Amino acid sequence: MSDISIIGLGNMARTIGARAVVGGNAVEVIGRDVARAKNLAEALGGGTTAGMFGTAPAGDIVILAVPHDTAAPVVAQYGDMLAGKVIVDITDAFNSDATGLTTSAGTSIAQEVAKVAPAGAHVVKAFNTVFGHVLAQGRPLDVLIAGDDAQAKATVSAFIKSLGLRPLDTGFLEMAHWLEGTGLVMMGLGRHGAGTFDFTFGVNTSA
């Protein structure tokens, strides 16, 4: 099992944290609001601890469950405290009405995070193609990931499997741009073609 630290106290932090606890992982939640962090830790149970924002995360895997425009600044603020960590960017780069990406062609939030991450840290994109409320249902799902370091992706894949989910590697970190685009496509599909957000993307290898 894994030792993970989740920076952020929102719905995705709660959902991933809950599945992580069930999967037998050691979980730390971190937020600027100390009281909220402690409340979330108590709600998750399973020995979950509340860390102090700005101090070194306890986990080997650090999950960025923060707004997309704060992901890189948060990593830059932590600096060398993230050296040697696997940083998991779960953000979606939507504009305010979810009609476009906030990043330009050839880059992504994950790549911007990697630019400011300290030496020895490795960034993996994951979870952004799964709606939080669907993830909270507890059923098996596919989680698309991307990253440049094979060992970091193996570490994240093992964690994903502990949640009862299937990790699917899409390639190097440059693919994060397209994963973020996939998240945007899901928003459009939910609003128009599907008419609901109660769906997920998966891969059927039996065809």
Side-chain angles (χ1 to χ4, degrees):
M1 299 299 104
S2 304
D3 291 342
I4 69 163
S5 294
I6 305 173
I7 301 178
L9 304 174
N11 289 335
M12 282 298 284
R14 180 180 293 271
T15 300
I16 292 174
R19 291 193 73 144
V21 168
V22 171
N25 301 280
V27 179
E28 175 188 48
V29 292
I30 301 170
R32 298 180 189 273
D33 187 323
V34 176
R36 281 187 63 203
K38 289 181 178 179
N39 288 340
L40 178 56
E42 291 177 2
L44 293 176
T48 300
T49 59
M52 182 73 68
F53 186 87
T55 62
D60 299 318
I61 299 173
V62 178
I63 298 174
L64 298 177
V66 298
H68 66 84
D69 56 346
T70 67
V74 164
V75 170
Q77 180 177 345
Y78 271 86
D80 288 341
M81 287 185 284
L82 298 178
K85 307 284 189 183
V86 176
I87 303 169
V88 181
D89 168 36
I90 72 170
T91 65
D92 269 312
F94 299 157
N95 58 21
S96 60
D97 60 359
T99 59
L101 297 176
T102 61
T103 55
S104 57
T107 190
S108 63
I109 299 299
Q111 288 165 287
E112 295 304 310
V113 167
K115 288 179 182 178
V116 299
H122 300 288
V123 178
V124 175
K125 188 77 179 184
F127 290 104
N128 80 291
T129 57
V130 181
F131 290 125
H133 70 279
V134 176
L135 184 62
Q137 294 170 5
R139 55 192 176 93
L141 304 167
D142 288 343
V143 177
L144 307 184
I145 70 172
D148 289 337
D149 185 82
Q151 183 55 54
K153 287 195 285 188
T155 297
V156 174
S157 293
F159 169 65
I160 290 170
K161 289 177 182 177
S162 79
L163 308 187
L165 307 170
R166 182 173 67 159
L168 294 175
D169 188 353
T170 66
F172 295 115
L173 196 61
E174 63 192 24
M175 291 299 293
H177 175 80
W178 304 106
L179 291 182
E180 291 173 7
T182 299
L184 185 62
V185 169
M186 292 175 68
M187 291 296 291
L189 185 59
R191 287 175 169 177
H192 304 288
T196 177
F197 292 99
D198 292 327
F199 70 91
T200 188
F201 279 176
V203 176
N204 184 350
T205 58
S206 63

